[in-house]
Amino acid sequence: MAVAHTLSLHNISKYYGKLAAVDDVSMTIERGQFLTLLGPSGSGKTTVLMSIAGFVEPSAGEIRVDGRPITHLPPEKRNFGMVFQGYALFPHLTVADNVAFPLTVRGRPAAEKAEKVKAALDLVQLGTLADRLPRQLSGGQQQRVALARALVFEPDILLLDEPLSALDKKLRAGLQWELRALHRRVGTTFIYVTHDQEEALSMSDEIAIIRNGKIVQKGKPRELYDRPVSHFIADFLGESNFLAAEAGEASGDGFAYRAGGSSFRQAGARPAEARVLVALRPAKIRISTAEPTDAVNRIAGTIKSWSYRGNEFHFLVGTALGDMNVSQPTWRARVEPEEGLGVWLAWDPDASVVQRELV
Ligand SMILES: Nc1ncnc2c1ncn2[C@@H]1O[C@H](COP(=O)(O)OP(=O)(O)O)[C@@H](O)[C@H]1O
Ligand SMILES: [Mg+2]
């Protein structure tokens, strides 16, 4: 469909009085990417997206498309599509007329409109519902109409602000797959805003995590999940156990550290500072009743509580390192869960990551 463009933000800030809703954000979004802006509520996601769209004027900085500044260009001159959480369809217009709207305001001839509306509706698999009114559609179908409307004029970039958050969980999962597939089909840059970690991890080529108006880490979903640069990110992108540790001697391809009165090993370079925080995902810990004598890192503990979550067990295990969260696929569990049961926890030196930043 449309030709994708490279978008870049250069030191963008937006102040409301003294509040920096967006605080010195710079990033490049390569053409054709699916980039997700992920952050808690109030972190500045919508303000960044609205600055890109042209509805919010940045207090400082520059926005460029293929190197050309567009910071002060009005929204209608940017040729970006937008989809919001609310569907914002015209209730008195049919599906076809809703989708045709952007072409109508651009004064396109009827024949071209009919052809493009049909193509856009086929793209979101709504070809058979063209004559319905919005109220005759489900929430998921209405959001697909909004998508078709945002894509019908072949935008250079599609901006999506929490488009699935009004839908129930099952429907949302279905539309996540569809949006991914749609992105591959049209090849346009998608900039997607969400506060939902799982959604971000499953859909994106790249994720930029935003906190207090600042981008704190940007990378591929697996990089962010496996190598979070801060406590905040390790915690925000799923759960982690944090071990306050003292780094020791470097040797081989890693180094030793002490925590809770015992010694453990960590893969990778020894950090410059001695006091470190080791982050360990619950799913990367093995649990057993027998001592795993061949495990490099192991510690004894007691099951304090546990829960069954269908495909996995969740354990809270009291140890000399403090309470540890452990999750285990039910099919692989080597422990019959029971409160008060003595267990062993084990993990590999490369299962954990050392946090560079103590925040
Ligand atoms: N028009 C506005 N006037 C004043 N403050 C605003 C305005 N828009 C957003 N803010 C504030 O800026 C911060 C970021 O808001 P927003 O970008 O909507 O966050 P998010 O989309 O991540 O929830 C919040 O503290 C919010 O209250
Ligand atoms: Mg928002």
Side-chain angles (χ1 to χ4, degrees):
M1 240 173 135
V3 180
H5 292 263
T6 297
L7 180 81
S8 55
L9 309 186
H10 304 265
N11 308 99
I12 290 291
S13 291
K14 176 65 185 178
Y15 291 93
Y16 291 111
K18 279 196 172 148
L19 171 83
V22 178
D23 191 1
D24 198 22
V25 164
S26 297
M27 66 176 161
T28 299
I29 300 156
E30 301 291 337
R31 55 179 63 214
Q33 264 210 339
F34 194 124
L35 174 108
T36 297
L37 207 53
L38 171 70
S41 174
S43 56
K45 304 182 295 295
T46 294
T47 310
V48 171
L49 208 68
M50 287 299 173
S51 305
I52 295 171
F55 294 109
V56 161
E57 173 127 32
S59 313
E62 197 162 80
I63 302 173
R64 298 182 199 146
V65 171
D66 292 336
R68 183 171 44 88
I70 59 154
T71 323
H72 304 292
L73 210 59
E76 66 275 12
K77 296 240 167 91
R78 295 187 186 200
N79 205 40
F80 297 168
M82 273 213 86
V83 182
F84 306 92
Q85 175 182 340
Y87 320 120
L89 301 178
F90 299 109
H92 58 289
L93 295 184
T94 63
V95 165
D97 289 341
N98 263 286
V99 174
F101 186 77
L103 302 174
T104 306
V105 297
R106 284 170 171 77
R108 310 307 304 170
E112 181 195 330
K113 272 194 339 195
E115 185 189 323
K116 287 197 166 160
V117 167
K118 185 177 181 313
L121 282 175
D122 285 345
L123 204 57
V124 298
Q125 286 148 23
L126 280 182
T128 57
L129 303 182
D131 298 325
R132 295 230 188 139
L133 290 171
R135 66 166 183 276
Q136 298 168 315
L137 301 177
S138 71
Q141 289 169 335
Q142 289 186 47
Q143 197 53 296
R144 274 154 48 194
V145 176
L147 265 170
R149 187 178 58 185
L151 287 167
V152 74
F153 59 96
E154 298 175 17
D156 297 327
I157 294 173
L158 185 64
L159 307 171
L160 305 108
D161 194 352
E162 313 228 13
L164 307 183
S165 61
L167 306 173
D168 67 51
K169 198 171 173 185
K170 237 194 173 130
L171 202 53
R172 212 160 63 214
L175 273 169
Q176 285 170 7
W177 285 110
E178 272 189 39
L179 266 175
R180 272 303 287 172
L182 187 65
H183 173 253
R184 288 204 197 93
R185 283 204 295 276
V186 299
T188 303
T189 306
F190 278 31
I191 305 179
Y192 190 92
V193 159
T194 183
H195 65 273
D196 184 323
Q197 300 84 333
E198 281 178 27
E199 192 166 287
L201 288 170
S202 65
M203 295 179 78
S204 323
D205 296 323
E206 281 216 334
I207 300 174
I209 298 188
I210 182 167
R211 183 192 194 193
N212 298 332
K214 283 185 189 300
I215 303 292
V216 287
Q217 192 174 3
K218 179 169 173 278
K220 294 190 167 56
R222 283 202 76 147
E223 278 165 29
L224 265 60
Y225 193 81
D226 289 339
R227 299 277 168 255
V229 297
S230 73
H231 189 163
F232 169 78
I233 294 164
D235 215 22
F236 186 63
L237 272 186
E239 231 180 332
S240 271
N241 296 289
F242 295 99
L243 316 179
E246 186 93 26
E249 287 288 297
S251 63
D253 55 358
F255 63 96
Y257 64 90
R258 287 193 71 77
S262 299
S263 246
F264 303 96
R265 269 196 71 75
Q266 170 68 38
R270 185 194 184 283
E273 63 274 22
R275 286 193 47 222
V276 293
L277 206 57
V278 177
L280 181 57
R281 298 278 184 204
K284 294 198 169 171
I285 303 175
R286 299 184 294 278
I287 183 168
S288 59
T289 42
E291 182 173 358
T293 48
D294 54 344
V296 179
N297 294 323
R298 60 180 186 272
I299 192 158
T302 306
I303 295 179
K304 286 180 128 179
S305 62
W306 62 276
S307 62
Y308 172 68
R309 300 187 184 175
N311 57 354
E312 59 179 36
F313 286 119
H314 225 87
F315 301 95
L316 185 69
V317 179
T319 75
L321 295 167
D323 289 350
M324 306 266 282
N325 283 294
V326 180
S327 63
Q328 195 93 145
T330 38
W331 58 267
R332 211 179 64 194
R334 302 224 168 75
V335 166
E336 199 54 47
E338 187 189 324
E339 263 172 51
L341 183 72
V343 291
W344 285 88
L345 305 183
W347 63 97
D348 298 332
D350 63 357
S352 43
V353 289
V354 175
Q355 241 64 88
R356 278 187 246 147
E357 188 193 324
L358 283 170
V359 288

